[in-house]
Amino acid sequence: MLDKAYDPKAVEDRIYDVWEKSGAFKPESCDPKGESFTVSMPPPNATGQLHLGHAVMLALEDIFIRFARMQGKKTLWVPGTDHAAIATENVVIKQLKDGGMKDPRKELGREKLIAKIAEFVEGSKNTIRGQVRKMGSSCDWSRERYTFEPSLNRCVNEVFKKMYADGLIYRGHRIVNWDPKLQTTVSDDEMEYKEEKGAFFTFKYGPFQIATARPETKFGDKYVVMHPNDKRYSKFKHGETFDAEWINGPVRATVIKDDSIDMEFGTGVMTITPWHDKIDFDIAERHGLEKEQVIGFDGRLLDIAGEFKGMKIEEARPLIVEKLKSKGLLVKSDENYVHNKAVSQRGGGSIEPQIKLQWFIDVNKEVVDWKPKGAKKVEKMSLKQIMHSVVHHGDIEIIPDRFGKTYFHWIDNLRDWCISRQIWWGHRIPVWYKGNEAVVSAESPGAGFEQDSDTLDTWFSSAMWTWSTLVDTKLAADKNLSLEDILKNSPDFQTFHPTSVMETGYDILFFWVARMILMTTYATGQIPFKTVYLHGLIRTRDGKKMSKSDPSTMIDPLDMIAKYGADALRLSMIVGQSPGADSRLYEDKIAGYRNFSNKLWNASRFVLMQCEQAGIDPKSISTLPDAEKLSLADRAILHALEILIEDTTKGLETYALSETGEKLYSFTWDTFCDWYLELSKGNANHAVLVHVLRRLLTLLHPYCPFITEELWSQVKPVNDGMLIANSWPKAKAERKDPKAFAEFQMLIDVITTVRKLRTDQSVEPAKKITVIIHSKKHAALLESQREHIMRMGNVENLTIDAKPTKHENAASAFLADIELHLSLEGLFDPAKLKASLEKEQAELSKYVQVLGGKLQNKNFVDRAPKELVDSEKGKLAEAEGKLQKVEERLKQL
């Protein structure tokens, strides 16, 4: 017999250990003839703790995998970790500085610092493995991968070499996003924009007025640009020069006409700073203009700034403005100007556009062979065109589909990808230099060559995750084999790629998902996955974003597992969460799903106790009784179960996880526990009880695997193994009985109505009542269910007849073709009840008046937080509903 209460701590680690040792997580345990189903786990950064974003990802992917496994598919879920170049190097350098080092790079050197980071990563990976296991993740640990392991490094080098040979990777001076704090470039997607209030200045520049928020960049400005169609400046000709007094003296300026200028912004005229602005850089490139650096890579002004040389930007700005003002060049300033400031996601430092010699991937060069869906032949396409094509033509489906528009907008505006980073931790760029000679090679070409000191953007290697994790490591170590040979002869790649579904947060659709499409289609000629399932952000109860900077908003998944169990956490994150939509999570919600686990546990105890009392071993039950031996409740629950099997199967196949979870929850709590089990008391059909419980545990298993596996061990058929390896049920038409279910639902409605009449009339729960039911159409059926109505409604006297009559001193309710009357005779003292109701009426009336006045106060509604106003509105509606019921009772009296 089961313990009286479910204790996740006593179950979860033990069961996970059994699963893992049994080999159930490996595809070799599946039907070898089954179709493959593969998920590549988005690798957590090797920097320590998993957070709720990882937890929801693990829960969703585990549902996908467990369902596919039980369907007989050959399933593979590949786990792993990401070396997370910038993030990991930052963490370790900070630790070393906290330990007393002033400059770890200088004090340790490249090799020793890399060794320190590698040591940290190994410890972190062990932590992450334990956390992934705690979530119940049924991934194949024997195939665990790491983005910085040798075989993946081989893939990175081979793809770099191939792209370079195809002219897709090039080195050039381009404007990049420079982070002076981290001393490295960052990609467009690794920046975020923060609103900042500051000054917006208008200055006199020769015959023009120019507007800027960054006067510190203007020292080198000698080009004034306007739209060729701007009539205000039609007298000025393209290429015309003029002299203007400026910050450090007179300058010779040139007029440039360019179509990119917004005539509505500021004065319609601007000077350009090609070295420190992407738009200005593009203008300079189009017109062959000179570019001059004003701000150094350390964030300080250079020699060109004259007296301001060596100053930080924030320090120099007001002094520069003051000097221009003293020259009579300041026209006006707007101190309340709000603009978006670019900052680095990783380090939080301000981004300074700089021109640097960097490595790039050309996304517009049409040199890649690709056959679009529906095309008759292979075409030469650019990476950008392929990325657009595979989603547009439906090779890859994005769920929810509204993110398709976002994806296409990003692709259409995609720039060449800067892939070099000025850090040490990561895949080093496989290029060697000797004088003017450059050789692309993973190893030194010979004496005198020095390797490029930069590393590759971490997304370069992560973008290969779906396929590089499937290559045979021994083949990857063979330098005589080409990448094509390695892929062709790697069994896992041939069997499990393309993968089936990529599940991740919508916030990295561009960081990672789009780049996987780019890199995989190019390197393998295949799409990386067939479906992209995007989950939203997990927010607080109040809708706030959870942030490490505000610990009060954070929920540690491991704390919640320790307190409520992994199943409760999983359910709380999945049910109620639509794809791509943010959801709210709070401890009360998790506790609510712990209650669901307890409900399922207690229901199973009831079934086992019924079997025990009857001397029946539940494991010996293998068949259901013939239909004529089944009660109305038996036939109805079997019908509802078959519908649930169909709905759950369809829901999981279409990735409608939340809706499906809600149906499973409702069936378990309401239909099975609250009604069928209650109706079974004293009249149990043991075969039906066990059959329904087995099926229910199977359907629930992908969502809450631990408790279902534990309960399965008590009721599984004699020759069956673990639930994780059990077959997914198929609905059987012969067990459907819609007529029985409709009659069962009518019985539920009658009992529910009797209970509501009791509550509405304030009848004490223990007090027996007299009920009269009239129904010409259903009298015989209700008579057959008399015992259930009396027991579950606590009815002492029940009259059922077909002919309706008028009843005095009775509370009545009416259903379709059924009248119910609760006799009020002798139930209570009318005078006392009236006094009590009048008192409640007065209290509620006063409460409604106070709340109504509060909500009519415009100052309160305008100034109070929306959540508070909505809460007060909810309280008012609830109070008004109660008042209406009290007044109806008084009217009846």
Side-chain angles (χ1 to χ4, degrees), residues 465-499:
W465 185 246
T466 65
W467 61 271
S468 62
T469 53
L470 299 175
V471 302
D472 187 302
T473 55
K474 291 180 180 177
L475 295 177
D478 188 343
K479 298 294 194 300
N480 296 315
L481 296 177
S482 66
L483 178 62
E484 187 178 356
D485 292 333
I486 294 170
L487 294 175
K488 186 177 179 181
N489 293 288
S490 292
D492 278 359
F493 176 79
Q494 293 298 322
T495 303
F496 297 109
H497 203 272
T499 62

mmCIF file of all heavy atoms in Angstrom, residues 465-499:
data_model
loop_
_atom_site.group_PDB
_atom_site.id
_atom_site.type_symbol
_atom_site.label_atom_id
_atom_site.label_comp_id
_atom_site.label_asym_id
_atom_site.label_seq_id
_atom_site.Cartn_x
_atom_site.Cartn_y
_atom_site.Cartn_z
ATOM 1 N N TRP A 465 24.999 23.800 -33.499
ATOM 2 C CA TRP A 465 24.674 22.880 -32.407
ATOM 3 C C TRP A 465 23.888 21.654 -32.857
ATOM 4 O O TRP A 465 24.174 20.539 -32.430
ATOM 5 C CB TRP A 465 23.928 23.646 -31.326
ATOM 6 C CG TRP A 465 23.628 22.867 -30.085
ATOM 7 C CD1 TRP A 465 22.395 22.500 -29.632
ATOM 8 C CD2 TRP A 465 24.563 22.362 -29.124
ATOM 9 N NE1 TRP A 465 22.502 21.803 -28.444
ATOM 10 C CE2 TRP A 465 23.825 21.706 -28.110
ATOM 11 C CE3 TRP A 465 25.951 22.394 -29.014
ATOM 12 C CZ2 TRP A 465 24.427 21.098 -27.013
ATOM 13 C CZ3 TRP A 465 26.548 21.788 -27.924
ATOM 14 C CH2 TRP A 465 25.790 21.157 -26.935
ATOM 15 N N THR A 466 22.880 21.820 -33.713
ATOM 16 C CA THR A 466 22.017 20.662 -34.036
ATOM 17 C C THR A 466 22.771 19.552 -34.744
ATOM 18 O O THR A 466 22.449 18.377 -34.571
ATOM 19 C CB THR A 466 20.814 21.086 -34.909
ATOM 20 O OG1 THR A 466 21.282 21.550 -36.182
ATOM 21 C CG2 THR A 466 19.965 22.136 -34.230
ATOM 22 N N TRP A 467 23.772 19.909 -35.558
ATOM 23 C CA TRP A 467 24.455 18.861 -36.326
ATOM 24 C C TRP A 467 25.857 18.531 -35.820
ATOM 25 O O TRP A 467 26.291 17.382 -35.896
ATOM 26 C CB TRP A 467 24.513 19.237 -37.810
ATOM 27 C CG TRP A 467 25.250 20.498 -38.140
ATOM 28 C CD1 TRP A 467 24.729 21.753 -38.200
ATOM 29 C CD2 TRP A 467 26.650 20.639 -38.431
ATOM 30 N NE1 TRP A 467 25.700 22.674 -38.517
ATOM 31 C CE2 TRP A 467 26.891 22.014 -38.679
ATOM 32 C CE3 TRP A 467 27.716 19.747 -38.516
ATOM 33 C CZ2 TRP A 467 28.150 22.506 -38.988
ATOM 34 C CZ3 TRP A 467 28.978 20.233 -38.835
ATOM 35 C CH2 TRP A 467 29.179 21.589 -39.070
ATOM 36 N N SER A 468 26.568 19.527 -35.280
ATOM 37 C CA SER A 468 27.933 19.250 -34.801
ATOM 38 C C SER A 468 27.915 18.300 -33.606
ATOM 39 O O SER A 468 28.890 17.576 -33.364
ATOM 40 C CB SER A 468 28.640 20.550 -34.423
ATOM 41 O OG SER A 468 27.962 21.207 -33.364
ATOM 42 N N THR A 469 26.814 18.274 -32.875
ATOM 43 C CA THR A 469 26.682 17.377 -31.726
ATOM 44 C C THR A 469 26.393 15.939 -32.158
ATOM 45 O O THR A 469 26.424 15.023 -31.324
ATOM 46 C CB THR A 469 25.540 17.849 -30.818
ATOM 47 O OG1 THR A 469 24.353 18.005 -31.603
ATOM 48 C CG2 THR A 469 25.872 19.170 -30.148
ATOM 49 N N LEU A 470 26.112 15.748 -33.431
ATOM 50 C CA LEU A 470 25.770 14.416 -33.934
ATOM 51 C C LEU A 470 26.898 13.776 -34.746
ATOM 52 O O LEU A 470 26.746 12.652 -35.234
ATOM 53 C CB LEU A 470 24.491 14.482 -34.791
ATOM 54 C CG LEU A 470 23.225 14.969 -34.065
ATOM 55 C CD1 LEU A 470 22.064 15.113 -35.053
ATOM 56 C CD2 LEU A 470 22.837 14.011 -32.940
ATOM 57 N N VAL A 471 28.024 14.485 -34.888
ATOM 58 C CA VAL A 471 29.130 13.892 -35.651
ATOM 59 C C VAL A 471 29.857 12.862 -34.787
ATOM 60 O O VAL A 471 29.899 12.972 -33.562
ATOM 61 C CB VAL A 471 30.133 14.961 -36.155
ATOM 62 C CG1 VAL A 471 29.449 15.996 -37.015
ATOM 63 C CG2 VAL A 471 30.864 15.620 -34.998
ATOM 64 N N ASP A 472 30.417 11.868 -35.425
ATOM 65 C CA ASP A 472 31.194 10.846 -34.735
ATOM 66 C C ASP A 472 32.521 11.466 -34.284
ATOM 67 O O ASP A 472 33.294 11.969 -35.101
ATOM 68 C CB ASP A 472 31.443 9.678 -35.692
ATOM 69 C CG ASP A 472 32.104 8.492 -35.010
ATOM 70 O OD1 ASP A 472 33.205 8.673 -34.447
ATOM 71 O OD2 ASP A 472 31.521 7.401 -35.032
ATOM 72 N N THR A 473 32.779 11.439 -32.978
ATOM 73 C CA THR A 473 33.976 12.109 -32.439
ATOM 74 C C THR A 473 35.276 11.500 -32.975
ATOM 75 O O THR A 473 36.274 12.202 -33.153
ATOM 76 C CB THR A 473 33.971 12.063 -30.901
ATOM 77 O OG1 THR A 473 33.848 10.704 -30.462
ATOM 78 C CG2 THR A 473 32.801 12.854 -30.342
ATOM 79 N N LYS A 474 35.252 10.193 -33.221
ATOM 80 C CA LYS A 474 36.465 9.551 -33.750
ATOM 81 C C LYS A 474 36.733 10.005 -35.180
ATOM 82 O O LYS A 474 37.882 10.244 -35.568
ATOM 83 C CB LYS A 474 36.323 8.027 -33.693
ATOM 84 C CG LYS A 474 36.332 7.479 -32.276
ATOM 85 C CD LYS A 474 36.194 5.961 -32.266
ATOM 86 C CE LYS A 474 36.202 5.410 -30.835
ATOM 87 N NZ LYS A 474 36.005 3.941 -30.813
ATOM 88 N N LEU A 475 35.663 10.135 -35.962
ATOM 89 C CA LEU A 475 35.830 10.614 -37.339
ATOM 90 C C LEU A 475 36.297 12.065 -37.343
ATOM 91 O O LEU A 475 37.134 12.454 -38.164
ATOM 92 C CB LEU A 475 34.508 10.501 -38.103
ATOM 93 C CG LEU A 475 33.957 9.084 -38.337
ATOM 94 C CD1 LEU A 475 32.617 9.148 -39.044
ATOM 95 C CD2 LEU A 475 34.953 8.258 -39.168
ATOM 96 N N ALA A 476 35.765 12.873 -36.404
ATOM 97 C CA ALA A 476 36.148 14.286 -36.338
ATOM 98 C C ALA A 476 37.628 14.442 -35.994
ATOM 99 O O ALA A 476 38.249 15.447 -36.351
ATOM 100 C CB ALA A 476 35.286 15.011 -35.312
ATOM 101 N N ALA A 477 38.189 13.456 -35.316
ATOM 102 C CA ALA A 477 39.603 13.524 -34.930
ATOM 103 C C ALA A 477 40.530 13.141 -36.079
ATOM 104 O O ALA A 477 41.751 13.365 -36.010
ATOM 105 C CB ALA A 477 39.856 12.607 -33.736
ATOM 106 N N ASP A 478 39.976 12.572 -37.143
ATOM 107 C CA ASP A 478 40.782 12.134 -38.288
ATOM 108 C C ASP A 478 40.987 13.317 -39.237
ATOM 109 O O ASP A 478 40.077 13.725 -39.945
ATOM 110 C CB ASP A 478 40.067 10.988 -39.012
ATOM 111 C CG ASP A 478 40.931 10.364 -40.096
ATOM 112 O OD1 ASP A 478 41.923 10.994 -40.516
ATOM 113 O OD2 ASP A 478 40.592 9.252 -40.549
ATOM 114 N N LYS A 479 42.183 13.863 -39.258
ATOM 115 C CA LYS A 479 42.472 15.055 -40.054
ATOM 116 C C LYS A 479 42.427 14.786 -41.565
ATOM 117 O O LYS A 479 42.386 15.714 -42.367
ATOM 118 C CB LYS A 479 43.864 15.598 -39.682
ATOM 119 C CG LYS A 479 44.001 16.033 -38.230
ATOM 120 C CD LYS A 479 43.124 17.231 -37.928
ATOM 121 C CE LYS A 479 43.491 17.887 -36.596
ATOM 122 N NZ LYS A 479 43.367 16.993 -35.446
ATOM 123 N N ASN A 480 42.441 13.509 -41.954
ATOM 124 C CA ASN A 480 42.415 13.170 -43.380
ATOM 125 C C ASN A 480 41.014 13.226 -43.977
ATOM 126 O O ASN A 480 40.844 13.169 -45.191
ATOM 127 C CB ASN A 480 43.001 11.771 -43.597
ATOM 128 C CG ASN A 480 44.459 11.700 -43.214
ATOM 129 O OD1 ASN A 480 45.241 12.598 -43.559
ATOM 130 N ND2 ASN A 480 44.854 10.660 -42.489
ATOM 131 N N LEU A 481 40.003 13.310 -43.110
ATOM 132 C CA LEU A 481 38.620 13.338 -43.588
ATOM 133 C C LEU A 481 38.120 14.765 -43.744
ATOM 134 O O LEU A 481 38.436 15.635 -42.938
ATOM 135 C CB LEU A 481 37.704 12.588 -42.611
ATOM 136 C CG LEU A 481 37.953 11.092 -42.431
ATOM 137 C CD1 LEU A 481 37.008 10.528 -41.381
ATOM 138 C CD2 LEU A 481 37.771 10.351 -43.758
ATOM 139 N N SER A 482 37.346 14.995 -44.772
ATOM 140 C CA SER A 482 36.725 16.308 -44.962
ATOM 141 C C SER A 482 35.456 16.380 -44.109
ATOM 142 O O SER A 482 34.981 15.367 -43.590
ATOM 143 C CB SER A 482 36.345 16.509 -46.436
ATOM 144 O OG SER A 482 35.320 15.589 -46.801
ATOM 145 N N LEU A 483 34.901 17.571 -43.978
ATOM 146 C CA LEU A 483 33.649 17.726 -43.226
ATOM 147 C C LEU A 483 32.545 16.897 -43.885
ATOM 148 O O LEU A 483 31.747 16.250 -43.194
ATOM 149 C CB LEU A 483 33.247 19.202 -43.172
ATOM 150 C CG LEU A 483 31.923 19.503 -42.455
ATOM 151 C CD1 LEU A 483 31.982 19.080 -41.001
ATOM 152 C CD2 LEU A 483 31.600 21.002 -42.535
ATOM 153 N N GLU A 484 32.537 16.887 -45.195
ATOM 154 C CA GLU A 484 31.534 16.101 -45.924
ATOM 155 C C GLU A 484 31.665 14.612 -45.596
ATOM 156 O O GLU A 484 30.669 13.909 -45.387
ATOM 157 C CB GLU A 484 31.695 16.328 -47.432
ATOM 158 C CG GLU A 484 30.604 15.684 -48.262
ATOM 159 C CD GLU A 484 30.767 15.962 -49.746
ATOM 160 O OE1 GLU A 484 31.687 16.729 -50.124
ATOM 161 O OE2 GLU A 484 29.984 15.405 -50.531
ATOM 162 N N ASP A 485 32.916 14.116 -45.518
ATOM 163 C CA ASP A 485 33.158 12.710 -45.172
ATOM 164 C C ASP A 485 32.675 12.411 -43.747
ATOM 165 O O ASP A 485 32.065 11.369 -43.490
ATOM 166 C CB ASP A 485 34.658 12.377 -45.265
ATOM 167 C CG ASP A 485 35.173 12.424 -46.697
ATOM 168 O OD1 ASP A 485 34.369 12.203 -47.612
ATOM 169 O OD2 ASP A 485 36.376 12.717 -46.872
ATOM 170 N N ILE A 486 32.968 13.341 -42.837
ATOM 171 C CA ILE A 486 32.591 13.142 -41.433
ATOM 172 C C ILE A 486 31.068 13.033 -41.301
ATOM 173 O O ILE A 486 30.552 12.129 -40.639
ATOM 174 C CB ILE A 486 33.132 14.304 -40.565
ATOM 175 C CG1 ILE A 486 34.666 14.270 -40.534
ATOM 176 C CG2 ILE A 486 32.566 14.220 -39.149
ATOM 177 C CD1 ILE A 486 35.287 15.511 -39.919
ATOM 178 N N LEU A 487 30.360 13.939 -41.944
ATOM 179 C CA LEU A 487 28.892 13.934 -41.863
ATOM 180 C C LEU A 487 28.311 12.685 -42.532
ATOM 181 O O LEU A 487 27.400 12.046 -41.992
ATOM 182 C CB LEU A 487 28.321 15.192 -42.521
ATOM 183 C CG LEU A 487 28.634 16.524 -41.833
ATOM 184 C CD1 LEU A 487 28.109 17.691 -42.666
ATOM 185 C CD2 LEU A 487 28.050 16.565 -40.436
ATOM 186 N N LYS A 488 28.858 12.333 -43.667
ATOM 187 C CA LYS A 488 28.345 11.192 -44.426
ATOM 188 C C LYS A 488 28.499 9.887 -43.658
ATOM 189 O O LYS A 488 27.669 8.968 -43.766
ATOM 190 C CB LYS A 488 29.080 11.102 -45.764
ATOM 191 C CG LYS A 488 28.532 10.038 -46.701
ATOM 192 C CD LYS A 488 29.291 10.073 -48.026
ATOM 193 C CE LYS A 488 28.770 8.999 -48.982
ATOM 194 N NZ LYS A 488 29.524 9.018 -50.260
ATOM 195 N N ASN A 489 29.538 9.798 -42.832
ATOM 196 C CA ASN A 489 29.838 8.539 -42.142
ATOM 197 C C ASN A 489 29.518 8.562 -40.638
ATOM 198 O O ASN A 489 29.876 7.634 -39.916
ATOM 199 C CB ASN A 489 31.315 8.187 -42.353
ATOM 200 C CG ASN A 489 31.621 7.849 -43.804
ATOM 201 O OD1 ASN A 489 31.223 6.797 -44.300
ATOM 202 N ND2 ASN A 489 32.309 8.750 -44.486
ATOM 203 N N SER A 490 28.843 9.626 -40.172
ATOM 204 C CA SER A 490 28.444 9.710 -38.762
ATOM 205 C C SER A 490 27.028 9.166 -38.617
ATOM 206 O O SER A 490 26.075 9.786 -39.099
ATOM 207 C CB SER A 490 28.489 11.159 -38.266
ATOM 208 O OG SER A 490 29.804 11.634 -38.215
ATOM 209 N N PRO A 491 26.856 7.991 -37.976
ATOM 210 C CA PRO A 491 25.524 7.363 -37.893
ATOM 211 C C PRO A 491 24.466 8.255 -37.245
ATOM 212 O O PRO A 491 23.330 8.302 -37.727
ATOM 213 C CB PRO A 491 25.789 6.109 -37.036
ATOM 214 C CG PRO A 491 27.245 5.832 -37.203
ATOM 215 C CD PRO A 491 27.898 7.160 -37.350
ATOM 216 N N ASP A 492 24.831 8.944 -36.174
ATOM 217 C CA ASP A 492 23.840 9.786 -35.502
ATOM 218 C C ASP A 492 23.372 10.931 -36.393
ATOM 219 O O ASP A 492 22.186 11.270 -36.412
ATOM 220 C CB ASP A 492 24.404 10.355 -34.195
ATOM 221 C CG ASP A 492 24.301 9.360 -33.047
ATOM 222 O OD1 ASP A 492 23.787 8.250 -33.272
ATOM 223 O OD2 ASP A 492 24.741 9.691 -31.933
ATOM 224 N N PHE A 493 24.294 11.535 -37.139
ATOM 225 C CA PHE A 493 23.890 12.615 -38.041
ATOM 226 C C PHE A 493 22.954 12.082 -39.121
ATOM 227 O O PHE A 493 21.940 12.704 -39.440
ATOM 228 C CB PHE A 493 25.115 13.269 -38.685
ATOM 229 C CG PHE A 493 24.758 14.315 -39.703
ATOM 230 C CD1 PHE A 493 24.365 15.586 -39.302
ATOM 231 C CD2 PHE A 493 24.783 14.026 -41.063
ATOM 232 C CE1 PHE A 493 24.007 16.546 -40.238
ATOM 233 C CE2 PHE A 493 24.426 14.979 -42.005
ATOM 234 C CZ PHE A 493 24.045 16.248 -41.592
ATOM 235 N N GLN A 494 23.293 10.934 -39.665
ATOM 236 C CA GLN A 494 22.465 10.362 -40.730
ATOM 237 C C GLN A 494 21.084 9.943 -40.219
ATOM 238 O O GLN A 494 20.098 10.002 -40.949
ATOM 239 C CB GLN A 494 23.183 9.154 -41.349
ATOM 240 C CG GLN A 494 24.446 9.500 -42.116
ATOM 241 C CD GLN A 494 24.186 10.402 -43.307
ATOM 242 O OE1 GLN A 494 23.180 10.270 -43.999
ATOM 243 N NE2 GLN A 494 25.089 11.350 -43.551
ATOM 244 N N THR A 495 21.004 9.554 -38.945
ATOM 245 C CA THR A 495 19.736 9.065 -38.389
ATOM 246 C C THR A 495 18.879 10.180 -37.804
ATOM 247 O O THR A 495 17.650 10.178 -37.973
ATOM 248 C CB THR A 495 20.012 8.030 -37.277
ATOM 249 O OG1 THR A 495 20.805 6.974 -37.818
ATOM 250 C CG2 THR A 495 18.705 7.463 -36.715
ATOM 251 N N PHE A 496 19.505 11.136 -37.126
ATOM 252 C CA PHE A 496 18.736 12.071 -36.295
ATOM 253 C C PHE A 496 18.708 13.515 -36.794
ATOM 254 O O PHE A 496 18.192 14.390 -36.101
ATOM 255 C CB PHE A 496 19.278 12.034 -34.859
ATOM 256 C CG PHE A 496 19.132 10.696 -34.199
ATOM 257 C CD1 PHE A 496 20.243 9.902 -33.950
ATOM 258 C CD2 PHE A 496 17.876 10.222 -33.834
ATOM 259 C CE1 PHE A 496 20.107 8.661 -33.338
ATOM 260 C CE2 PHE A 496 17.738 8.993 -33.231
ATOM 261 C CZ PHE A 496 18.849 8.196 -32.977
ATOM 262 N N HIS A 497 19.266 13.775 -37.972
ATOM 263 C CA HIS A 497 19.252 15.144 -38.492
ATOM 264 C C HIS A 497 18.558 15.173 -39.843
ATOM 265 O O HIS A 497 18.761 14.256 -40.643
ATOM 266 C CB HIS A 497 20.686 15.689 -38.640
ATOM 267 C CG HIS A 497 20.772 17.184 -38.638
ATOM 268 N ND1 HIS A 497 20.647 17.931 -39.772
ATOM 269 C CD2 HIS A 497 20.943 18.079 -37.625
ATOM 270 C CE1 HIS A 497 20.753 19.205 -39.475
ATOM 271 N NE2 HIS A 497 20.936 19.322 -38.168
ATOM 272 N N PRO A 498 17.719 16.207 -40.111
ATOM 273 C CA PRO A 498 17.400 17.369 -39.284
ATOM 274 C C PRO A 498 16.675 16.975 -37.996
ATOM 275 O O PRO A 498 15.969 15.967 -37.955
ATOM 276 C CB PRO A 498 16.468 18.202 -40.174
ATOM 277 C CG PRO A 498 16.691 17.701 -41.559
ATOM 278 C CD PRO A 498 17.026 16.259 -41.419
ATOM 279 N N THR A 499 16.837 17.794 -36.964
ATOM 280 C CA THR A 499 16.148 17.521 -35.710
ATOM 281 C C THR A 499 14.672 17.867 -35.866
ATOM 282 O O THR A 499 14.266 18.512 -36.839
ATOM 283 C CB THR A 499 16.773 18.315 -34.556
ATOM 284 O OG1 THR A 499 16.635 19.720 -34.805
ATOM 285 C CG2 THR A 499 18.249 17.964 -34.397
#
